Structures are given as C-alpha cells and as structure tokens.
Short mmCIF file of all heavy atoms in Angstrom, two decimals:
data_model
loop_
_atom_site.label_atom_id
_atom_site.label_comp_id
_atom_site.label_asym_id
_atom_site.label_seq_id
_atom_site.Cartn_x
_atom_site.Cartn_y
_atom_site.Cartn_z
N VAL A 170 36.00 66.52 35.36
CA VAL A 170 36.17 67.81 36.07
C VAL A 170 35.01 68.76 35.61
O VAL A 170 34.74 68.83 34.42
CB VAL A 170 37.54 68.44 35.74
CG1 VAL A 170 37.61 69.81 36.31
CG2 VAL A 170 38.64 67.55 36.18
N LEU A 171 34.40 69.38 36.50
CA LEU A 171 33.22 70.21 36.19
C LEU A 171 33.42 71.68 36.45
O LEU A 171 32.45 72.40 36.70
CB LEU A 171 31.93 69.68 37.00
CG LEU A 171 31.56 68.26 36.84
CD1 LEU A 171 30.29 67.92 37.53
CD2 LEU A 171 31.42 67.90 35.31
N HIS A 172 34.63 72.09 36.42
CA HIS A 172 34.91 73.55 36.48
C HIS A 172 35.88 73.91 35.34
O HIS A 172 37.02 73.45 35.34
CB HIS A 172 35.53 73.89 37.90
CG HIS A 172 35.75 75.30 38.05
ND1 HIS A 172 34.72 76.20 38.29
CD2 HIS A 172 36.88 76.10 37.97
CE1 HIS A 172 35.21 77.43 38.43
NE2 HIS A 172 36.47 77.37 38.22
N PRO A 173 35.46 74.61 34.33
CA PRO A 173 34.07 75.22 34.20
C PRO A 173 33.04 74.14 33.90
O PRO A 173 33.41 73.02 33.44
CB PRO A 173 34.20 76.15 33.02
CG PRO A 173 35.34 75.61 32.23
CD PRO A 173 36.30 75.00 33.21
N ARG A 174 31.81 74.43 34.09
CA ARG A 174 30.76 73.49 33.83
C ARG A 174 30.65 73.12 32.35
O ARG A 174 30.66 74.02 31.51
CB ARG A 174 29.46 74.03 34.33
CG ARG A 174 29.48 74.29 35.85
CD ARG A 174 28.23 74.81 36.49
NE ARG A 174 28.41 75.09 37.85
CZ ARG A 174 27.51 75.50 38.70
NH1 ARG A 174 26.24 75.79 38.25
NH2 ARG A 174 27.76 75.72 39.98
N PRO A 175 30.60 71.84 31.98
CA PRO A 175 30.78 71.42 30.61
C PRO A 175 29.61 71.49 29.75
O PRO A 175 29.55 71.14 28.61
CB PRO A 175 31.32 69.95 30.82
CG PRO A 175 30.70 69.53 32.07
CD PRO A 175 30.63 70.72 32.95
N TRP A 176 28.39 71.81 30.31
CA TRP A 176 27.21 71.89 29.51
C TRP A 176 26.93 73.35 29.17
O TRP A 176 27.51 74.29 29.78
CB TRP A 176 26.02 71.30 30.28
CG TRP A 176 25.84 71.80 31.62
CD1 TRP A 176 25.29 72.95 32.03
CD2 TRP A 176 26.25 71.12 32.84
NE1 TRP A 176 25.31 73.09 33.39
CE2 TRP A 176 25.87 71.99 33.97
CE3 TRP A 176 26.89 69.86 33.12
CZ2 TRP A 176 26.17 71.61 35.23
CZ3 TRP A 176 27.13 69.50 34.41
CH2 TRP A 176 26.77 70.37 35.49
N PRO A 177 26.03 73.60 28.21
CA PRO A 177 25.81 74.99 27.77
C PRO A 177 25.23 75.86 28.94
O PRO A 177 24.35 75.41 29.65
CB PRO A 177 24.75 74.84 26.68
CG PRO A 177 24.91 73.44 26.19
CD PRO A 177 25.32 72.66 27.32
N SER A 178 25.78 77.08 29.04
CA SER A 178 25.35 77.97 30.09
C SER A 178 23.94 78.46 29.90
O SER A 178 23.22 78.91 30.81
CB SER A 178 26.26 79.20 30.18
OG SER A 178 26.28 79.89 29.00
N THR A 179 23.40 78.22 28.69
CA THR A 179 22.05 78.61 28.30
C THR A 179 21.00 77.60 28.76
O THR A 179 19.78 77.86 28.68
CB THR A 179 21.92 78.86 26.78
OG1 THR A 179 22.35 77.64 26.11
CG2 THR A 179 22.75 80.00 26.40
N ALA A 180 21.46 76.44 29.23
CA ALA A 180 20.51 75.39 29.62
C ALA A 180 19.63 75.93 30.80
O ALA A 180 20.14 76.40 31.78
CB ALA A 180 21.28 74.11 30.06
N GLU A 181 18.33 75.78 30.68
CA GLU A 181 17.41 76.28 31.67
C GLU A 181 17.28 75.35 32.84
O GLU A 181 16.85 75.82 33.88
CB GLU A 181 16.06 76.56 30.99
CG GLU A 181 16.04 77.80 30.07
CD GLU A 181 16.46 79.02 30.83
OE1 GLU A 181 15.93 79.28 31.97
OE2 GLU A 181 17.28 79.84 30.29
N ALA A 182 17.45 74.01 32.71
CA ALA A 182 17.28 73.12 33.76
C ALA A 182 18.30 71.94 33.51
O ALA A 182 18.32 71.35 32.42
CB ALA A 182 15.90 72.54 33.90
N VAL A 183 19.09 71.65 34.51
CA VAL A 183 20.11 70.61 34.42
C VAL A 183 19.98 69.68 35.63
O VAL A 183 19.80 70.06 36.75
CB VAL A 183 21.57 71.22 34.44
CG1 VAL A 183 22.55 70.08 34.29
CG2 VAL A 183 21.71 72.19 33.31
N VAL A 184 19.89 68.40 35.31
CA VAL A 184 19.82 67.34 36.33
C VAL A 184 21.18 66.63 36.48
O VAL A 184 21.73 66.26 35.44
CB VAL A 184 18.77 66.30 35.96
CG1 VAL A 184 18.69 65.18 37.07
CG2 VAL A 184 17.35 66.96 35.83
N VAL A 185 21.63 66.48 37.66
CA VAL A 185 22.98 65.83 37.90
C VAL A 185 22.81 64.82 38.97
O VAL A 185 21.91 64.84 39.74
CB VAL A 185 24.08 66.85 38.26
CG1 VAL A 185 24.28 67.86 37.15
CG2 VAL A 185 23.73 67.57 39.61
N THR A 186 23.86 63.91 39.06
CA THR A 186 23.93 62.97 40.16
C THR A 186 24.63 63.63 41.38
O THR A 186 25.26 64.68 41.26
CB THR A 186 24.80 61.73 39.74
OG1 THR A 186 26.11 62.16 39.59
CG2 THR A 186 24.22 61.15 38.44
N GLU A 187 24.57 63.00 42.49
CA GLU A 187 25.28 63.55 43.68
C GLU A 187 26.78 63.51 43.47
O GLU A 187 27.50 64.39 43.98
CB GLU A 187 24.93 62.69 44.88
CG GLU A 187 23.55 62.92 45.46
CD GLU A 187 23.33 62.14 46.76
OE1 GLU A 187 23.09 60.96 46.73
OE2 GLU A 187 23.50 62.80 47.88
N LYS A 188 27.24 62.48 42.77
CA LYS A 188 28.67 62.33 42.54
C LYS A 188 29.21 63.54 41.74
O LYS A 188 30.35 63.95 41.93
CB LYS A 188 28.94 61.01 41.75
CG LYS A 188 30.45 60.76 41.44
CD LYS A 188 30.63 59.44 40.73
CE LYS A 188 32.06 59.26 40.35
NZ LYS A 188 32.28 57.94 39.64
N ASP A 189 28.36 64.03 40.83
CA ASP A 189 28.75 65.28 40.12
C ASP A 189 28.47 66.56 40.94
O ASP A 189 29.20 67.53 40.83
CB ASP A 189 28.04 65.33 38.76
CG ASP A 189 28.55 64.23 37.75
OD1 ASP A 189 29.77 64.01 37.78
OD2 ASP A 189 27.75 63.63 37.15
N ALA A 190 27.44 66.53 41.77
CA ALA A 190 27.02 67.73 42.52
C ALA A 190 28.17 68.14 43.48
O ALA A 190 28.39 69.26 43.69
CB ALA A 190 25.82 67.41 43.33
N VAL A 191 28.89 67.14 44.00
CA VAL A 191 29.95 67.50 45.01
C VAL A 191 31.09 68.24 44.30
O VAL A 191 31.84 68.92 44.98
CB VAL A 191 30.56 66.19 45.66
CG1 VAL A 191 29.47 65.54 46.55
CG2 VAL A 191 31.19 65.28 44.74
N LYS A 192 31.19 68.20 43.02
CA LYS A 192 32.30 68.80 42.30
C LYS A 192 31.86 70.25 41.74
O LYS A 192 32.75 70.92 41.23
CB LYS A 192 32.70 67.98 41.10
CG LYS A 192 33.30 66.65 41.49
CD LYS A 192 33.78 65.81 40.26
CE LYS A 192 32.56 65.29 39.56
NZ LYS A 192 32.91 64.31 38.48
N LEU A 193 30.64 70.60 41.93
CA LEU A 193 30.16 71.93 41.41
C LEU A 193 30.50 73.04 42.33
O LEU A 193 29.99 73.02 43.52
CB LEU A 193 28.67 71.86 41.13
CG LEU A 193 28.26 70.92 39.99
CD1 LEU A 193 26.70 70.94 39.90
CD2 LEU A 193 28.79 71.42 38.70
N ARG A 194 31.32 73.97 41.96
CA ARG A 194 31.62 75.16 42.84
C ARG A 194 30.42 76.07 42.73
O ARG A 194 29.78 76.21 41.73
CB ARG A 194 32.88 75.79 42.31
CG ARG A 194 34.11 74.87 42.41
CD ARG A 194 35.34 75.50 41.92
NE ARG A 194 36.51 74.65 42.00
CZ ARG A 194 37.74 74.93 41.54
NH1 ARG A 194 37.89 76.09 40.92
NH2 ARG A 194 38.69 74.09 41.65
N PRO A 195 30.13 76.80 43.83
CA PRO A 195 29.00 77.74 43.79
C PRO A 195 29.12 78.82 42.74
O PRO A 195 30.16 79.44 42.57
CB PRO A 195 29.09 78.41 45.22
CG PRO A 195 29.79 77.37 46.03
CD PRO A 195 30.81 76.77 45.13
N GLU A 196 28.06 78.96 41.91
CA GLU A 196 27.92 79.97 40.95
C GLU A 196 26.47 80.49 41.06
O GLU A 196 25.56 79.91 40.52
CB GLU A 196 28.16 79.46 39.53
CG GLU A 196 29.59 78.99 39.33
CD GLU A 196 29.96 78.62 37.91
OE1 GLU A 196 29.35 79.29 37.02
OE2 GLU A 196 30.77 77.73 37.66
N PRO A 197 26.25 81.57 41.80
CA PRO A 197 24.97 82.08 42.10
C PRO A 197 24.01 82.33 40.91
O PRO A 197 22.80 82.02 41.07
CB PRO A 197 25.18 83.44 42.79
CG PRO A 197 26.49 83.29 43.39
CD PRO A 197 27.30 82.46 42.41
N ASP A 198 24.56 82.57 39.78
CA ASP A 198 23.68 82.86 38.60
C ASP A 198 23.23 81.51 37.93
O ASP A 198 22.13 81.45 37.36
CB ASP A 198 24.41 83.66 37.54
CG ASP A 198 24.76 85.06 37.99
OD1 ASP A 198 24.04 85.50 38.93
OD2 ASP A 198 25.65 85.67 37.46
N LEU A 199 24.00 80.43 38.17
CA LEU A 199 23.63 79.18 37.44
C LEU A 199 23.13 78.11 38.40
O LEU A 199 22.38 77.22 37.97
CB LEU A 199 24.87 78.58 36.79
CG LEU A 199 25.54 79.42 35.68
CD1 LEU A 199 26.78 78.81 35.16
CD2 LEU A 199 24.61 79.72 34.56
N ASP A 200 23.44 78.20 39.70
CA ASP A 200 22.97 77.15 40.61
C ASP A 200 21.47 76.91 40.66
O ASP A 200 21.04 75.78 40.79
CB ASP A 200 23.51 77.50 42.00
CG ASP A 200 25.03 77.19 42.15
OD1 ASP A 200 25.58 76.74 41.21
OD2 ASP A 200 25.57 77.49 43.31
N PRO A 201 20.64 77.97 40.60
CA PRO A 201 19.19 77.76 40.67
C PRO A 201 18.66 76.90 39.47
O PRO A 201 17.50 76.42 39.63
CB PRO A 201 18.61 79.15 40.66
CG PRO A 201 19.70 80.04 41.14
CD PRO A 201 20.94 79.43 40.60
N LYS A 202 19.40 76.72 38.52
CA LYS A 202 19.00 75.91 37.35
C LYS A 202 19.37 74.44 37.44
O LYS A 202 19.04 73.63 36.58
CB LYS A 202 19.57 76.47 36.03
CG LYS A 202 19.27 77.93 35.74
CD LYS A 202 19.97 78.36 34.49
CE LYS A 202 19.67 79.82 34.14
NZ LYS A 202 20.42 80.24 32.89
N ILE A 203 20.02 74.10 38.54
CA ILE A 203 20.53 72.73 38.70
C ILE A 203 19.80 71.97 39.78
O ILE A 203 19.59 72.46 40.87
CB ILE A 203 22.09 72.78 39.04
CG1 ILE A 203 22.82 73.38 37.85
CG2 ILE A 203 22.57 71.38 39.30
CD1 ILE A 203 24.31 73.51 38.13
N TRP A 204 19.40 70.79 39.37
CA TRP A 204 18.66 69.82 40.25
C TRP A 204 19.54 68.63 40.54
O TRP A 204 20.11 68.12 39.59
CB TRP A 204 17.37 69.47 39.67
CG TRP A 204 16.48 70.52 39.15
CD1 TRP A 204 16.75 71.47 38.23
CD2 TRP A 204 15.13 70.85 39.62
NE1 TRP A 204 15.72 72.31 38.03
CE2 TRP A 204 14.73 71.95 38.85
CE3 TRP A 204 14.28 70.28 40.50
CZ2 TRP A 204 13.47 72.49 39.01
CZ3 TRP A 204 13.00 70.82 40.66
CH2 TRP A 204 12.57 71.95 39.94
N VAL A 205 19.54 68.14 41.78
CA VAL A 205 20.27 66.96 42.09
C VAL A 205 19.31 65.83 42.36
O VAL A 205 18.33 66.05 43.11
CB VAL A 205 21.19 67.17 43.34
CG1 VAL A 205 22.08 65.93 43.65
CG2 VAL A 205 22.06 68.43 43.18
N VAL A 206 19.53 64.69 41.77
CA VAL A 206 18.69 63.52 41.93
C VAL A 206 19.44 62.48 42.66
O VAL A 206 20.60 62.14 42.33
CB VAL A 206 18.20 62.95 40.54
CG1 VAL A 206 17.46 61.67 40.75
CG2 VAL A 206 17.29 64.04 39.89
N GLY A 207 18.85 61.97 43.74
CA GLY A 207 19.53 61.01 44.63
C GLY A 207 19.22 59.59 44.23
O GLY A 207 18.19 59.25 43.62
N LEU A 208 20.09 58.71 44.68
CA LEU A 208 19.96 57.28 44.42
C LEU A 208 19.96 56.50 45.73
O LEU A 208 20.86 56.64 46.49
CB LEU A 208 21.08 56.81 43.51
CG LEU A 208 21.10 55.31 43.17
CD1 LEU A 208 19.96 54.89 42.35
CD2 LEU A 208 22.47 54.95 42.51
N ASP A 209 18.93 55.70 45.97
CA ASP A 209 18.85 54.78 47.09
C ASP A 209 19.46 53.43 46.69
O ASP A 209 19.07 52.93 45.63
CB ASP A 209 17.44 54.56 47.59
CG ASP A 209 17.03 55.70 48.55
OD1 ASP A 209 17.94 56.35 49.10
OD2 ASP A 209 15.82 55.90 48.70
N PHE A 210 20.34 52.93 47.48
CA PHE A 210 21.05 51.69 47.17
C PHE A 210 20.93 50.83 48.46
O PHE A 210 21.45 51.19 49.51
CB PHE A 210 22.48 51.94 46.90
CG PHE A 210 23.15 50.80 46.18
CD1 PHE A 210 23.01 50.69 44.76
CD2 PHE A 210 23.95 49.92 46.88
CE1 PHE A 210 23.75 49.66 44.10
CE2 PHE A 210 24.64 48.85 46.21
CZ PHE A 210 24.53 48.82 44.85
N LYS A 211 20.22 49.71 48.41
CA LYS A 211 19.97 48.88 49.61
C LYS A 211 20.49 47.49 49.39
O LYS A 211 20.21 46.85 48.37
CB LYS A 211 18.40 48.83 49.89
CG LYS A 211 18.10 48.14 51.11
CD LYS A 211 16.57 48.14 51.38
CE LYS A 211 16.21 47.46 52.71
NZ LYS A 211 14.77 47.46 52.98
N LEU A 212 21.24 47.03 50.38
CA LEU A 212 21.81 45.64 50.41
C LEU A 212 20.83 44.73 51.12
O LEU A 212 20.15 45.17 52.13
CB LEU A 212 23.18 45.67 51.05
CG LEU A 212 24.24 46.54 50.41
CD1 LEU A 212 25.49 46.57 51.27
CD2 LEU A 212 24.50 46.07 49.02
N PRO A 213 20.76 43.50 50.76
CA PRO A 213 19.94 42.51 51.47
C PRO A 213 20.32 42.43 52.96
O PRO A 213 21.56 42.47 53.25
CB PRO A 213 20.15 41.19 50.78
CG PRO A 213 20.64 41.58 49.44
CD PRO A 213 21.47 42.88 49.57
N SER A 214 19.36 42.38 53.93
CA SER A 214 19.73 42.29 55.28
C SER A 214 20.46 41.04 55.61
O SER A 214 21.33 41.09 56.57
CB SER A 214 18.42 42.37 56.14
OG SER A 214 17.55 41.26 55.79
N SER A 215 20.28 39.96 54.85
CA SER A 215 21.02 38.72 55.12
C SER A 215 22.49 38.94 54.84
O SER A 215 23.35 38.35 55.58
CB SER A 215 20.46 37.61 54.25
OG SER A 215 20.63 37.97 52.88
N LEU A 216 22.91 39.76 53.89
CA LEU A 216 24.31 40.00 53.56
C LEU A 216 24.91 40.86 54.69
O LEU A 216 25.97 40.48 55.25
CB LEU A 216 24.37 40.74 52.27
CG LEU A 216 25.77 41.35 51.91
CD1 LEU A 216 26.81 40.25 51.78
CD2 LEU A 216 25.73 42.26 50.68
N THR A 217 24.29 41.95 55.08
CA THR A 217 24.85 42.78 56.13
C THR A 217 24.91 42.10 57.44
O THR A 217 25.88 42.31 58.23
CB THR A 217 24.02 44.05 56.27
OG1 THR A 217 22.67 43.77 56.56
CG2 THR A 217 24.11 44.92 55.02
#
C-alpha cells in the first residue's frame, strides 16, 4: 500500500514501476519528484 507514501518525503527524485505508479494518489507537492520507468515484455512470435 502506497498511501501514505512509504519513502522519505525529503527524497528529491524517486523512481517507481508502473505497478506502483497506479497506486499513487495525486499529491501536487510530491508528484513532480516521481519518475515512472516502463518495462517492455515481448513473447516469441512462435508462441503467440
């Protein structure tokens, strides 16, 4: 659970996954410090 946010509010830059980003409620003072990093996941075409 990420409400309240479990890392220090003094952190100047925070990187999170998309799975965690969907749980972050808007906080205008803290949101500009957060970066979301995406993950590409590709299955072999033979499998699909």
Side-chain angles (χ1 to χ4, degrees):
V170 175
L171 301 187
H172 185 75
R174 299 179 182 183
W176 50 78
S178 59
T179 54
E181 287 301 316
V183 180
V184 179
V185 299
T186 68
E187 287 187 280
K188 181 177 173 179
D189 291 320
V191 298
K192 295 180 288 188
L193 293 174
R194 298 176 180 176
E196 294 188 34
D198 293 339
L199 298 177
D200 285 358
K202 301 178 181 180
I203 297 178
W204 309 59
V205 184
V206 172
L208 176 66
D209 275 339
F210 197 85
K211 186 177 181 180
L212 300 174
S214 58
S215 58
L216 169 65
T217 55

